[in-house]
Amino acid sequence: MASKDSPRTPNLIDRHVGIRIRLRRRVMQISQQALAAKVGITFQQLQKYENGVNRIGAGRLYELARALEVPVGYFYEDVDQAVDTLKRNEDEAAAISNFVGSREGVQLAQAFNRIEDRKIRRHLLQLAGSLGEAPAKGK
């Protein structure tokens, strides 16, 4: 977790913003290299932003928002809830955030959003929950 000693040290909000950048980039199916080139940084720097390792200045965040075709506020959506979750259980919250920002997480969310029937959505959530509780085989 970030040190409270330095205002330049990344914190939980920086992690949330990075997760939102990764999520949007993957939804738009843009590589790190392509997005980095679009805003004039290295893909390594973009990785650091996405992982919450480096803080993002206001000007750079504006450039990323334009490149990702979202308002700057998009990166702060649900920030209070996300920070509270990260504070309560950093390991689980990090795993969830990493999954949501992963290729599989984005694909799953897109497929789920195409299901219009709420009853089917509930059944799918119940199925996923029961599969998540089942003992892993082959481990």
Side-chain angles (χ1 to χ4, degrees):
M1 178 144 72
S3 164
K4 294 183 181 184
D5 299 336
S6 171
R8 300 185 133 216
T9 303
N11 60 30
L12 296 176
I13 295 171
D14 298 310
R15 283 182 56 193
H16 175 75
V17 169
I19 289 163
R20 299 288 292 175
I21 291 169
R22 180 185 310 123
L23 175 63
R24 180 64 182 164
R25 178 180 61 76
R26 288 192 168 153
V27 165
M28 293 183 70
Q29 299 180 345
I30 300 172
S31 70
Q32 285 181 326
Q33 292 85 353
L35 179 58
K38 205 169 188 180
V39 296
I41 59 175
T42 64
F43 84 91
Q44 292 93 340
Q45 184 63 40
L46 180 61
Q47 283 179 326
K48 291 177 182 179
Y49 290 155
E50 288 185 355
N51 292 325
V53 173
N54 284 5
R55 301 195 87 173
I56 305 171
R60 179 78 68 220
L61 190 61
Y62 177 79
E63 292 171 7
L64 286 163
R66 289 193 53 143
L68 293 171
E69 302 173 5
V70 292
V72 172
Y74 165 85
F75 301 115
Y76 295 96
E77 287 178 8
D78 303 320
V79 71
D80 292 330
Q81 179 183 357
V83 168
D84 288 345
T85 301
L86 287 169
K87 282 180 183 175
R88 277 195 307 274
N89 188 343
E90 287 196 47
D91 292 337
E92 183 177 351
I96 291 168
S97 296
N98 287 336
F99 173 71
V100 169
S102 72
R103 181 171 287 111
E104 294 87 1
V106 170
Q107 290 171 342
L108 184 60
Q110 289 171 331
F112 188 82
N113 282 335
R114 288 191 297 269
I115 300 170
E116 294 180 15
D117 188 319
R118 293 177 61 91
K119 188 175 181 181
I120 293 173
R121 284 181 174 212
R122 280 194 302 275
H123 287 299
L124 184 57
L125 288 173
Q126 290 171 345
L127 174 63
S130 64
L131 290 173
E133 293 171 3
K137 294 185 179 185
K139 282 192 171 186

